[in-house]
Amino acid sequence: MASHRRPKQTSQAYTAVVTATAAAAVAVTAQSASADPLPDPNKKGVQAQIDRLYEEATQATEKYNGAKEKAGVLQKQVDDLQDTAARKQSDLNDLRNQIGSIAAAQYRSGGLDPSVQLLLSSDPDGYLDNASALDQLSARQITALQRYQSQQRDLQQQRSQAADKLKDLQETRTELGDRKKEIQGKLAKAQRLLNTLTAEERAERSAEEERANRSSERVQLGNEASASQRAAAAFEAAKSRVGMPYVWGAAGPNSFDCSGLTSWSFNQAGVSIPRTSQEQANVGTRINSLSALKPGDLILMRTDLSHVGFYAGNGQILHSPKPGAQVRYESIARSGMPFMWGVRIG
């Protein structure tokens, strides 16, 4: 009977095949390393890029929030300093009028008013030190001149401080604009990548979000109590926002980014906390263990602390996760973000 087994290749032929295969593999690897990953035929690379851009956008959003909060503080400081300077200028004008009246009276009596000498002096401090010994100055006149000099110095100081704060404000507004462009750029790039997906792939992504939302509706949180009434009240406020959309830079009441949800919720409980996740990480009492968390405690995620939410109980987080998502409950273990620590606010 004839044999149907394939004859063995010679050693030389086998070596040639292996060499050719290795060379082809090297060529493909080199091409993959240098090429733009966008043309990936199965689109998995594209979807990973979209998710990464969304994550980078949320990280940039917290930096934007920080710059926005700083700009608000600086604007208030500038306004206060300018208001103070305006009041001091008004007081200075009143004193100048008083000194003018004194000067007019002394002019009529034939003397050169020392207050005029003060105003013309290149060394007001030295002049006032000597002026108190002059017979022609009364105690009331000396007091008026000293007040004038003191308020003039205060006015100059207020104006200098206002100018410095205004410079800081302008720099912060520039940073704010840069952060906004960064976020919009990342979201626009993500949208362009989404547009390269097939209709089926886009439907799969939408279905995945719907599954996450349905899972949020069915979540079992348990009956564990919050550590404080304020945390419980903030958590209740956050629960009332489930289903609201993520919008970068938003702090309620109908859309939120991650720290916008937590700051809004605590505000409903009568507690003011900082706006950004990084700042919220340093308020209250730090809780280093997941097992020690209580519902209503804040949870800080990612190594750069760029994400925050509420511990909801039973290993769940209540948060506003990312662009295109809603405020919802999710398993901390499946969130894809490393837990850093918790914060308990009493």
Side-chain angles (χ1 to χ4, degrees):
M1 181 180 292
S3 173
H4 295 285
R5 288 182 299 176
R6 190 174 179 177
K8 292 184 179 179
Q9 290 178 307
T10 64
S11 175
Q12 183 176 3
Y14 177 76
T15 302
V17 170
V18 171
T19 302
T21 303
V26 170
V28 170
T29 302
Q31 183 179 9
S32 299
S34 60
D36 190 331
L38 289 181
D40 187 346
N42 62 15
K43 301 294 184 179
K44 289 182 180 178
V46 174
Q47 299 215 38
Q49 287 183 72
I50 293 169
D51 293 337
R52 186 169 62 251
L53 283 166
Y54 280 158
E55 180 176 346
E56 290 173 354
T58 62
Q59 292 171 319
T61 293
E62 288 308 293
K63 294 177 182 177
Y64 170 88
N65 291 336
K68 186 176 181 180
E69 185 175 46
K70 181 180 178 182
V73 171
L74 286 171
Q75 183 65 68
K76 185 178 186 308
Q77 290 175 342
V78 168
D79 292 343
D80 290 345
L81 286 167
Q82 289 178 337
D83 288 346
T84 301
R87 288 195 299 272
K88 287 186 179 297
Q89 182 65 68
S90 178
D91 293 342
L92 202 60
N93 291 341
D94 292 341
L95 277 174
R96 185 178 288 115
N97 291 336
Q98 293 178 24
I99 292 172
S101 299
I102 295 172
Q106 290 200 355
Y107 178 78
R108 287 192 295 271
S109 66
L112 178 61
D113 178 65
S115 62
V116 176
Q117 295 180 33
L118 171 67
L119 294 175
L120 297 177
S121 174
S122 61
D123 182 15
D125 290 322
Y127 177 81
L128 279 177
D129 289 341
N130 296 324
S132 60
L134 298 177
D135 293 338
Q136 64 266 40
L137 280 176
S138 68
R140 184 176 68 85
Q141 292 169 340
I142 292 173
T143 299
L145 294 174
Q146 289 174 334
R147 283 183 59 203
Y148 179 87
Q149 181 191 30
S150 175
Q151 294 203 15
Q152 193 172 45
R153 284 197 300 264
D154 288 347
L155 177 60
Q156 290 171 347
Q157 183 179 8
Q158 292 289 325
R159 284 176 172 168
S160 176
Q161 290 176 351
D164 291 341
K165 292 294 183 184
L166 191 58
K167 181 180 177 182
D168 290 343
L169 177 59
Q170 291 168 343
E171 291 174 351
T172 302
R173 283 175 172 167
T174 299
E175 180 188 356
L176 198 60
D178 292 342
R179 295 298 182 192
K180 183 176 181 179
K181 289 178 183 177
E182 179 185 3
I183 295 164
Q184 291 175 331
K186 290 182 183 299
L187 294 179
K189 185 175 181 180
Q191 185 60 53
R192 289 195 297 271
L193 289 172
L194 274 171
N195 293 340
T196 68
L197 300 178
T198 65
E200 181 180 357
E201 288 163 339
R202 287 196 296 271
E204 287 177 358
R205 287 183 67 90
S206 296
E208 184 179 346
E209 282 298 313
E210 284 301 317
R211 283 193 297 271
N213 293 333
R214 287 196 301 271
S215 176
S216 176
E217 294 171 359
R218 298 190 302 267
V219 69
Q220 298 295 321
L221 301 178
N223 299 315
E224 190 174 12
S226 299
S228 71
Q229 290 184 347
R230 288 179 173 179
F235 185 42
E236 286 299 318
K239 287 195 285 187
S240 73
R241 301 293 93 185
V242 169
M244 298 296 178
Y246 176 101
V247 174
W248 70 268
N254 298 316
S255 59
F256 301 88
D257 58 29
C258 68
S259 59
L261 175 65
T262 50
S263 59
W264 178 87
S265 299
F266 267 102
N267 189 54
Q268 305 314 299
V271 181
S272 177
I273 63 173
R275 174 63 175 86
T276 69
S277 59
Q278 289 89 350
E279 290 177 307
Q280 291 176 16
N282 295 311
V283 299
T285 302
R286 183 177 296 191
I287 308 295
N288 292 317
S289 171
L290 266 173
S291 61
L293 292 174
K294 301 286 186 182
D297 290 340
L298 295 179
I299 302 181
L300 279 304
M301 312 290 280
R302 298 197 186 115
T303 54
D304 63 352
L305 306 176
S306 62
H307 191 71
V308 65
F310 283 99
Y311 181 66
N314 198 27
Q316 301 288 317
I317 181 174
L318 172 57
H319 64 159
S320 184
K322 62 183 179 179
Q326 299 174 356
V327 176
R328 66 192 182 205
Y329 300 97
E330 285 186 315
S331 167
I332 297 171
R334 297 179 182 177
S335 68
M337 294 178 282
F339 165 78
M340 301 310 294
W341 64 77
V343 169
R344 180 165 297 161
I345 298 176

